[in-house]
């Protein structure tokens, strides 16, 4: 069998480790593996490159994606899907690595007759049915390290810091990183933003002698600058904002992401070789199982309310 592999949408640390796992497991299973450069945009243009065992050496620890990635406007059109499907005609199956846009693309290719399997990879962790997506753990650790540094200067100046993190429409990065750094308040899109409560907690903390405060804001919940402005206006505390931005997408993947990448990449190829298709490999902890695209895309990825309650209790 000839297996194609591509990465699509926003890159995530650990994508390279998935590519490595797909290539090596494919070759181990007797398949030929080809990489598609620049995601679906590259597929439309026929950017196929043969991949052998050594072509994926020395990438397991690297962020980004050796295959490059893109968000393709052309692929959103039926003509684009048809052109991509035509280029994929020589492939027995295509392993796609990415987030929900990538899954929607795979769904469109399936409808056009191309056998596909997806590996969930996005720093946002915003896919249902899988407890983790590749890249999330690294991004959370990156935020944690950045906030630990911010805390030093926040304490030195006795300031409040608002740190805006990524996550698109979801608050997974904010919640997990906020818990990890002991944030005073964590604002996520899944819950109403209550600035009154944020300010009360802040004022209480400073009254009992706190030297600094950290508020973590998910980009989908509010603008960090606006939250900081409102806090300073209401409390009179000197407040600064840091928008961490794309720094969260880079860097060497954590051990957790590398191991997950190896497992999901392997599972995707095993599924394809067994004749499976049309599914995302979901990490259910500890097991991995294929879940049809429609089931993944039709469900909301739930934020664990117990974690937000815990964060509130610990920031008392
Ligand atoms: O989906 C990953 C992500 O980094 C989101 O957290 C963020 O909202 C978005 O991509 C940014 O996209 P771009 O890199 O296209 O600006």
């Amino acid at each position: 069998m000839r297996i194609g592999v591509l990465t699509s949408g926003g890159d995530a640390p650990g994508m390279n480790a998935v590519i490595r796992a797909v290539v090596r497991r494919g070759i181990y299973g007797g398949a030929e593996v080809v990489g598609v450069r620049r995601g679906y945009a590259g597929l439309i243009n026929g950017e196929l490159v043969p991949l052998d065992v050594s072509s994926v050496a020395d990438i397991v620890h690297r962020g980004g994606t050796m295959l490059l990635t893109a968000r393709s406007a052309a692929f959103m059109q039926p003509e684009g899907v048809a052109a991509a499907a035509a280029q994929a005609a020589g492939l027995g199956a295509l392993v796609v690595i990415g987030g929900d846009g990538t899954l929607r693309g795979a769904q469109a290719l399936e409808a056009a007759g191309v056998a596909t399997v997806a590996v969930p990879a996005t720093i946002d962790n915003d896919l249902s049915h899988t407890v983790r997506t590749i890249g999330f753990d690294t991004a959370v650790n990156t935020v944690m390290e950045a906030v630990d540094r911010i805390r030093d200067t926040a304490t030195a100046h006795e300031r409040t810091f608002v740190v805006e993190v990524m996550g698109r429409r979801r608050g997974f990065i904010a919640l997990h990183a906020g818990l990890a750094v002991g944030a005073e308040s964590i604002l996520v899109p899944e819950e109403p933003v209550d600035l009154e409560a944020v300010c009360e907690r802040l004022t209480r903390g400073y009254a009992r002698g706190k030297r600094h405060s950290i508020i973590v804001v998910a980009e989908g919940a509010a603008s960090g600058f606006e939250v900081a402005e409102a806090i300073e206006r209401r409390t009179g505390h000197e407040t600064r904002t840091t928008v961490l931005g794309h720094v969260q997408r880079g860097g060497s993947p954590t051990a957790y992401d590398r191991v997950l990448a190896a497992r999901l990449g392997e599972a995707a190829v095993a599924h394809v070789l067994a004749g499976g298709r049309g599914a995302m490999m979901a990490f259910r902890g500890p097991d991995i199982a294929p879940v049809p695209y429609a089931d993944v895309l039709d469900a909301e990825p739930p934020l664990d309310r117990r974690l937000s309650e815990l964060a509130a209790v610990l920031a008392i």
Side-chain angles (χ1 to χ4, degrees):
M1 185 192 270
R2 203 160 175 244
I3 299 174
V5 56
L6 62 77
T7 49
S8 161
D11 60 304
M15 278 182 160
N16 277 324
V18 183
I19 295 168
R20 173 178 178 269
V22 167
V23 170
R24 296 212 167 156
R25 175 63 175 91
I27 291 169
Y28 175 84
E32 188 189 327
V33 185
V34 295
V36 180
R37 302 181 86 206
R38 301 189 176 81
Y40 294 123
L43 185 57
I44 291 173
N45 298 329
E47 292 187 57
L48 271 54
V49 284
L51 295 173
D52 60 15
V53 171
S54 49
S55 59
V56 291
D58 201 28
I59 62 166
V60 75
H61 61 299
R62 294 190 198 281
T65 159
M66 67 167 279
L67 288 175
L68 309 178
T69 186
R71 302 190 199 273
S72 170
F75 189 69
M76 301 292 168
Q77 307 303 320
E79 304 76 41
V81 174
Q87 293 286 359
L91 303 175
L94 178 65
V95 176
V96 301
I97 306 165
D100 74 335
T102 305
L103 258 68
R104 282 179 215 285
Q107 217 176 15
L109 284 176
E110 276 286 339
V114 180
T116 65
V117 167
V119 173
T122 161
I123 62 163
D124 302 331
N125 204 55
D126 59 348
L127 285 169
S128 70
H129 289 271
T130 187
V131 287
R132 282 290 166 271
T133 58
I134 287 153
F136 173 70
D137 186 67
T138 306
V140 168
N141 276 282
T142 301
V143 174
M144 184 186 74
E145 283 164 21
V147 176
D148 285 349
R149 287 164 196 263
I150 288 169
R151 186 195 299 275
D152 291 344
T153 173
T155 310
H157 283 267
E158 301 179 84
R159 281 171 172 163
T160 296
F161 263 83
V162 174
V163 182
E164 184 188 303
V165 301
M166 280 186 166
R168 228 164 36 127
R169 294 186 302 273
R170 301 287 165 186
F172 291 96
I173 295 178
L175 180 56
H176 285 251
L179 248 179
V181 301
E184 210 86 58
S185 295
I186 304 168
L187 305 184
V188 293
E190 290 86 345
E191 291 164 5
V193 171
D194 185 351
L195 285 180
E196 201 61 49
V198 170
C199 292
E200 261 173 36
R201 195 172 296 146
L202 259 174
T203 310
R204 255 198 336 264
Y206 282 121
R208 66 161 202 270
K210 275 198 70 147
R211 294 247 172 268
H212 70 272
S213 273
I214 306 285
I215 319 287
V216 176
V217 180
E219 64 177 348
S223 142
F225 286 104
E226 285 171 18
V227 170
E229 211 247 325
I231 288 174
E232 197 164 82
R233 196 169 4 94
R234 289 179 194 214
T235 66
H237 278 291
E238 193 176 26
T239 306
R240 293 285 188 271
T241 308
T242 302
V243 178
L244 289 178
H246 288 79
V247 76
Q248 294 160 94
R249 286 241 294 264
S252 182
T254 57
Y256 183 96
D257 273 331
R258 297 184 202 189
V259 172
L260 188 60
R263 292 193 62 198
L264 289 174
E266 190 282 331
V269 173
H271 194 57
V272 153
L273 293 176
R277 62 188 286 180
M280 180 192 83
M281 305 314 296
F283 175 57
R284 298 175 180 280
D287 298 324
I288 291 170
V291 179
Y293 296 142
D295 292 359
V296 177
L297 295 170
D298 290 350
E300 297 285 316
L303 200 68
D304 191 340
R305 302 277 169 202
R306 289 167 303 185
L307 292 190
S308 34
E309 282 161 21
L310 174 60
V313 168
L314 298 184
I316 197 170

